[in-house]
Amino acid sequence: MTQVVVLPHIELCPDGAVIDARPGESLCQNLLENGIAIEHACEMSCACTTCHVIVREGFAALEPSDEVEDDLLDKAWGLEPNSRLSCQAIVNATPLLIEIPRYSINMTKEGHR
């Protein structure tokens, strides 16, 4: 198991979380299996940006993103150089520290504040 620290998110995990993630599975799947209800509007098929996360530590140890993911990330709210779609970031043995942006593209389009 790989430790993933999730920074506090006002709606999804207000106190933050530390989860034991299964290597070989996507970060999104691991978050969902551990009770963190990250959005994944396309059902983890790399067709949207709702599962966007910012990898604060451990980014360099992840397999690089592909062109499709990079193109989608350009549309993500709050994009940073170490952003990934959690449905495409496969957990390995390296611990991760992640931040789930406060808003997803769905929330900004719907006018959430």
Side-chain angles (χ1 to χ4, degrees), residues 36-37 42-43 46-47 49 53-55 62 68 70 73 79 89 93 106:
I36 299 172
C42 70
E43 297 299 323
C46 195
T49 63
V53 296
I54 302 163
V55 183
L62 295 171
V68 173
D70 290 341
L73 279 168
L79 180 68
N106 280 355

Side-chain angles (χ1 to χ4, degrees), residues 16-68:
V18 178
I19 66 170
D20 288 324
R22 286 193 289 213
E25 283 191 2
S26 73
L27 184 53
C28 185
Q29 187 64 39
N30 274 292
L31 292 170
L32 293 169
E33 289 173 359
N34 283 277
I36 299 172
I38 189 167
E39 281 191 85
H40 54 290
C42 70
E43 297 299 323
M44 297 181 268
S45 65
C46 195
C48 73
T49 63
T50 58
C51 70
H52 167 229
V53 296
I54 302 163
V55 183
R56 297 289 180 203
E57 293 178 10
F59 180 82
L62 295 171
E63 289 293 319
S65 56
D66 64 18
E67 189 175 335
V68 173

